[in-house]
Amino acid sequence: SDESKGICWNEKTTEPLKAAIDDYIAKNKDNIDLTRIYVGGYSMGGKMTLRMAIAYPEMFAAAFPICPAWSPDRAALSYIADMPVWLTSGKTDPLVNYYFSVSKTFENLSAVTNVPEDVRFSTLSKVCFEDGKRCTSAHHSWYAVNHDMFSADNGDYPYMSTVNGKGEDVTLTYPDGMISWLCSHTSDYNGEPSTGKGNLT
């Protein structure tokens, strides 16, 4: 398998990735708003998004895992109880099961979060491009994120609904999509390397 060959994101890669981020910050500190470091990715990158956020919650102001290929339990998610998190997934995703993985992650996160109004879950009943044309795979829910959760004409993204951690519908009004949501969140991070409060390794 790819995992046995070491060519995927797993628990052994959190520390090397954190070291790479620390190195980048050290070299570019004057040009980085350290209070606005966000983590996101899709599929296995969504898995790594959750792993990094849980391992180093003090570093990230918010996280946006997309169809994450990992469903952490409530104990692990409690490390990010104060972090805004926006999940995105397609209901018919053939690779990362919506019901047993992503929806379960949102359910667990909603149960432990201290900021339910800042936890979101966008569901695509049909995974499409921003013009409404169906994507080649229902796994490609990152297209919605790539277009800031809006359609080609800046309206509602096709076949998408969003709720917060309280179960309330969230209405997105252009231009306030995911980028605006991310930028509205900050942390107390000062750039100092840390070992992580919730390190999973």
Side-chain angles (χ1 to χ4, degrees):
S1 74
D2 286 346
E3 187 161 328
S4 66
K5 295 176 188 173
I7 55 174
C8 70
W9 295 115
N10 59 39
E11 65 279 356
K12 296 176 184 174
T13 52
T14 54
E15 289 182 11
L17 180 54
K18 176 64 164 57
I21 295 170
D22 286 341
D23 182 63
Y24 184 85
I25 288 172
K27 292 175 179 172
N28 298 280
K29 200 170 187 176
D30 293 341
N31 299 312
I32 297 172
D33 181 347
L34 297 171
T35 69
R36 284 191 165 92
I37 297 176
Y38 310 107
V39 61
Y42 59 86
S43 194
M44 290 186 72
K47 168 186 176 180
M48 193 58 167
T49 296
L50 289 169
R51 284 196 170 279
M52 290 297 290
I54 291 166
Y56 307 103
E58 69 279 8
M59 173 179 239
F60 302 107
F64 57 105
I66 308 162
C67 51
W70 180 50
S71 185
D73 61 22
R74 292 182 185 186
L77 289 167
S78 68
Y79 285 105
I80 57 172
D82 295 320
M83 185 182 295
V85 178
W86 191 332
L87 286 149
T88 305
S89 181
K91 255 191 177 172
T92 58
D93 190 321
L95 299 177
V96 179
N97 188 282
Y98 174 88
Y99 297 97
F100 297 117
S101 184
V102 188
S103 182
K104 188 68 174 173
T105 297
F106 179 68
E107 179 185 316
N108 285 337
L109 182 60
S110 296
V112 300
T113 185
N114 295 322
V115 289
E117 64 283 351
D118 285 324
V119 168
R120 292 183 175 183
F121 185 23
S122 289
T123 296
L124 295 158
S125 58
K126 194 186 305 182
V127 179
C128 296
F129 295 104
E130 75 279 13
D131 61 1
K133 182 180 176 184
R134 187 187 296 268
C135 290
T136 54
S137 172
H139 185 52
H140 296 172
S141 54
W142 51 85
Y143 280 108
V145 177
N146 290 349
H147 294 281
D148 204 23
M149 315 308 263
F150 294 111
S151 66
D153 60 1
N154 300 326
D156 294 341
Y157 201 87
Y159 310 105
M160 186 181 82
S161 61
T162 303
V163 296
N164 65 21
K166 297 177 179 179
E168 301 167 337
D169 290 335
V170 174
T171 302
L172 304 177
T173 305
Y174 185 81
D176 295 321
M178 185 177 282
I179 298 299
S180 297
W181 175 86
L182 284 169
C183 292
S184 71
H185 299 294
T186 59
S187 71
D188 296 326
Y189 188 61
N190 63 7
E192 293 298 319
S194 66
T195 56
K197 294 178 181 176
N199 205 311
L200 294 169
T201 57

